[in-house]
Amino acid sequence: MPRSNDLVANALSELADLIAITGGDPFRVRSYEKAARSVAAYPIDVDTLGESGLDAIPAVGSHIAAKIASFVHRGHIDELDELRAQVPAGLRSLLDVPGLGPRRARQIYDELGVASVPDLLSALGHERLRGLRGWGPTSEARLAQAIHDFQGAGGRLQLGVATEVAEELVGGLGSQGAVQRVTYAGSLRRMRETIGDIDLLAAADDAEQVMDAFAGLASIADLPVRGPTRGAAVTTTGVHVDLRVVPPEVWGAALLYFTGSKAHNIHLRRLAQRAGTKLSEYGLTRNGHVLAAATEAEVYAQLGMAYVPPTLREDRGEIEAALDGSLPHLVELDAIRGDLHTHTDLTDGLASMEEMAAAARARGYRYMAVTDHAPLLSMQRMTTEKALVQRAALRALSGRGGLTLLHGSELNIQPDGTLDWDDDFLSHFDVLVASVHSAFRLGRDAMTARIIRAIEHPAVNIIGHPTGRSLGSRPPIDFDRDAVFRAAARAGTALEINSFPDRLDLGDELARRAQELGVLFAISSDAHATRHLDNMRYGVGTAQRGWVRQENVVNTWPLARLRRFLAKEHVASRSA
Ligand code: DGT
Ligand code: CA
Ligand code: CA
Ligand code: ZN
């Protein structure tokens, strides 16, 4: 539930907007705006205050206090209702657009008939705003960006969804004769966990032909913005796509620019300026003379720094590290030797163990752990007997095609930190993942103790999806991050970087902190079907964004070393 102060503040600021949009007294507009801010910041909940208590809130006079009382006790404010009825819904919706004040919303509505956010986007696409009094290309661009950011906050795409859409578009454009190169840039190339829009970059001598081809792709529903070298499209699935076409000779500089992040770009540009050069999407230049433009590597080299992998480009220290040669040796997808968290149709997976093993062999894996759910997740109907039968079948299959199968399970960490089965039974598994699947709201201290107890269990090797978050639907569970990370480092228990695109858990920032505290990682697919093994790349991307070094990822290790880790033998030697 939002706090009553926030609800009241929203109502007051809506009132201010509507008074402004209907040409009301600017002094009243300002007093409602001030009151809204003051209420939002007021430490006492307004629904506990009487009229005199409301009166005491700074910037709230008796008149506004009465309106607040009406809102709190009767659920509405008469004047607000009246104004809402007067102002068309389309115009009111424009008030939600950041960067567009009530006066300018009214102007656009009156003069262009723009009555919704899609109308507004279309008007911007056709450059119709710049003809109005007080508008120009710059203010148009600023508004377009504000809308873009605003929409991004609500409807960001999951990394997996965006990657699939982008790869299809890249494939479609790449097969066109006019296109010399095409790739995706932006946050998708940086592998952020969610994506605002897809940014495509193409190199061609004839941009016009590329635009035609783009407009003609089956998955492009609409191309509301079409210039000679740039377009903004919407796919049939509602995904926003920007396309830029550049001459082949500036490919690297353009790719660098459109990959971003913006913060990384700005920092690079500052560096260039300090050296008396200029960096733009057309290249690194000195007095108009091009120093580097064809490849990203050349641009970085000319700036006197190491090549920065896209996943690090967030201005979180990577530029300093690239300048002094201390970038980490990041984990790479090619270095992954196996998967340590997979499910079969014995529990909730879709594929049999044989099918999962075949898919793992096709990926070139040397090992794969089968970690079906354990009995306490009762809907999965696992039993001791089933686990033993599976183990026997797995041993018989192991080694075929160079793939060693490890027998594991995904245990359920109970609220008190205990696990499925008894310790003796647990000690006979090759690998154990332990995850929180229940009691997500335990409270911070109890949650911390719960996870640390599982970490310290001598048979537990990996904590699965440690925060339990689900992007866009379930928040992370609350525990003392540093305490858990320290415990994991001490106990020789790895933390998972779960590769499922709606989990990505640990996420980049937590993984980075965990590594600082000495934690080792397992990057796992948590596959419930053969094709889920391919999600590994999202986990690797997330690990890279967390600066995770290859040496700290246990499933890049050869099997013999991994087995020593799984036996927790090194723990004794570490503390010795
Ligand atoms: P998103 O789409 O919200 O997930 O994030 P990005 O990073 O893909 O951002 P987007 O699509 O607005 O722009 C793509 C890239 O273009 C961005 O990463 C860097 C570059 N870029 C965009 N606007 C600016 C800017 O104002 N200054 C600089 N230096 N670069 C920019
Ligand atoms: Ca983007
Ligand atoms: Ca974009
Ligand atoms: Zn699982």
Side-chain angles (χ1 to χ4, degrees):
M1 269 296 281
R3 191 173 167 240
S4 60
N5 295 39
D6 295 329
L7 297 174
V8 168
N10 282 344
L12 294 177
S13 71
E14 186 184 352
L15 197 48
D17 284 345
L18 293 177
I19 293 170
I21 216 166
T22 51
D25 177 7
F27 178 78
R28 283 191 74 218
V29 173
R30 275 197 302 278
S31 63
Y32 278 109
E33 281 169 353
K34 268 172 77 178
R37 282 194 298 273
S38 179
V39 166
Y42 200 59
I44 303 168
D45 289 0
V46 289
D47 57 3
T48 65
L49 296 173
E51 294 245 359
S52 64
L54 292 172
D55 232 345
I57 302 174
V60 173
S62 61
H63 194 70
I64 295 182
K67 296 220 148 78
I68 297 176
S70 163
F71 185 86
V72 169
H73 300 300
R74 299 193 294 128
H76 70 114
I77 301 173
D78 289 338
E79 189 184 0
L80 183 55
D81 294 344
E82 285 159 26
L83 285 169
R84 278 180 181 156
Q86 268 177 49
V87 178
L91 179 51
R92 273 189 282 131
S93 74
L94 294 183
L95 290 173
D96 292 327
V97 175
L100 195 64
R103 202 175 44 80
R104 300 216 291 176
R106 172 104 233 176
Q107 177 193 26
I108 293 169
Y109 177 78
D110 285 342
E111 298 185 29
L112 299 176
V114 165
S116 68
V117 176
D119 278 0
L120 182 56
L121 284 171
S122 160
L124 281 167
H126 293 97
E127 304 183 342
R128 286 166 61 208
L129 268 64
R130 62 182 64 178
L132 302 179
R133 229 185 83 164
W135 287 87
T138 315
S139 47
E140 246 183 23
R142 211 178 299 129
L143 179 59
Q145 184 65 42
I147 296 173
H148 175 94
D149 293 345
F150 166 64
Q151 293 190 321
R156 296 183 65 86
L157 292 170
Q158 278 177 19
L159 178 59
V161 175
T163 301
E164 280 172 27
V165 173
E167 286 182 344
E168 191 196 320
L169 292 169
V170 164
L173 279 179
S175 63
Q176 308 287 331
V179 176
Q180 297 191 18
R181 309 185 69 158
V182 57
T183 190
Y184 54 79
S187 53
L188 184 56
R189 184 163 179 245
R190 305 196 310 278
M191 299 191 81
R192 269 192 68 176
E193 58 199 30
T194 62
I195 308 300
D197 72 355
I198 294 172
D199 302 283
L200 297 180
L201 182 68
D205 294 317
D206 185 348
E208 194 67 29
Q209 271 190 47
V210 182
M211 279 298 156
D212 286 342
F214 186 51
L217 291 177
S219 53
I220 295 298
D222 189 18
L223 190 62
V225 180
R226 184 184 165 149
T229 62
R230 54 164 307 187
V234 185
T235 67
T236 49
T237 50
V239 178
H240 289 255
V241 185
D242 283 343
L243 170 67
R244 279 291 287 254
V245 188
V246 298
E249 59 273 17
V250 303
W251 171 258
L255 183 57
L256 185 60
Y257 181 87
F258 291 109
T259 297
S261 64
K262 191 169 163 182
H264 181 86
N265 288 352
I266 289 170
H267 194 160
L268 285 185
R269 217 180 308 144
R270 233 175 30 234
L271 277 184
Q273 270 162 8
R274 236 178 279 148
T277 57
K278 183 170 173 290
L279 180 64
S280 75
E281 63 259 56
Y282 303 107
L284 182 68
T285 57
R286 177 176 280 125
N287 306 322
H289 171 72
V290 178
L291 302 174
T295 67
E296 288 185 322
E298 283 170 34
V299 176
Y300 281 116
Q302 277 290 337
L303 287 169
M305 59 201 289
Y307 174 81
V308 179
T311 45
L312 291 188
R313 298 182 195 169
E314 299 290 347
D315 198 22
R316 296 196 284 216
E318 75 282 3
I319 292 178
E320 293 80 353
L323 282 167
D324 70 16
S326 63
L327 281 176
H329 176 214
L330 295 177
V331 58
E332 301 274 356
L333 186 58
D334 286 349
I336 298 292
R337 291 180 197 245
D339 201 322
L340 297 177
H341 183 171
T342 70
H343 297 270
T344 74
D345 58 6
L346 184 62
T347 57
D348 58 350
L350 295 175
S352 66
M353 188 167 68
E354 290 74 14
E355 290 165 332
M356 292 297 289
R361 279 194 293 270
R363 292 180 63 84
Y365 282 162
R366 309 311 305 268
Y367 46 82
M368 180 177 80
V370 174
T371 56
D372 272 313
H373 289 289
L376 288 170
L377 202 62
S378 54
M379 62 191 170
Q380 303 301 337
R381 301 175 183 283
M382 177 57 95
T383 62
T384 303
E385 166 143 280
K386 282 191 196 174
L388 291 173
V389 170
Q390 182 183 54
R391 184 175 299 164
L394 177 140
R395 298 279 183 245
L397 191 61
S398 182
R400 198 174 300 172
L403 178 75
T404 297
L405 292 173
L406 301 171
H407 195 229
S409 180
E410 181 178 13
L411 307 175
N412 304 287
I413 307 176
Q414 297 304 102
D416 64 357
T418 58
L419 303 161
D420 310 66
W421 284 308
D422 61 38
D423 288 357
D424 178 57
F425 191 74
L426 291 181
S427 70
H428 292 95
F429 283 99
D430 300 321
V431 51
L432 286 171
V433 179
S435 310
V436 170
H437 288 135
S438 64
F440 296 108
R441 292 165 192 275
L442 205 51
R444 186 184 176 86
D445 291 346
M447 192 67 89
T448 305
R450 172 190 195 179
I451 296 173
I452 289 177
R453 187 163 177 196
I455 282 172
E456 292 178 343
H457 192 286
V460 170
N461 303 114
I462 298 162
I463 301 298
H465 42 74
T467 78
R469 73 170 177 176
S470 174
L471 287 169
S473 64
R474 192 169 58 230
I477 56 176
D478 187 22
F479 55 80
D480 180 336
R481 312 292 193 213
D482 279 12
V484 163
F485 296 163
R486 287 200 171 91
R490 211 168 41 234
T493 302
L495 297 185
E496 183 173 87
I497 295 178
N498 187 294
S499 304
F500 241 89
D502 66 348
R503 286 195 186 271
L504 300 178
D505 182 12
L506 297 175
D508 53 2
E509 286 175 18
L510 289 183
R512 189 169 180 182
R513 177 63 182 157
Q515 179 172 254
E516 277 171 13
L517 295 178
V519 166
L520 296 171
F521 302 94
I523 306 177
S524 300
S525 73
D526 195 0
H528 285 65
T530 52
R531 65 188 168 80
H532 291 161
L533 293 173
D534 297 342
N535 287 338
M536 183 62 78
R537 59 175 168 161
Y538 305 124
V540 170
T542 301
Q544 291 182 345
R545 290 179 57 82
W547 292 54
V548 170
R549 295 169 184 273
Q550 190 151 300
E551 72 212 38
N552 292 333
V553 178
V554 301
N555 54 318
T556 65
W557 296 353
L559 182 60
R561 183 174 176 203
L562 176 67
R563 281 197 190 277
R564 286 195 297 277
F565 172 75
L566 296 177
K568 288 197 158 179
E569 281 169 10
H570 61 293
V571 179
S573 62
R574 236 190 221 181
S575 51

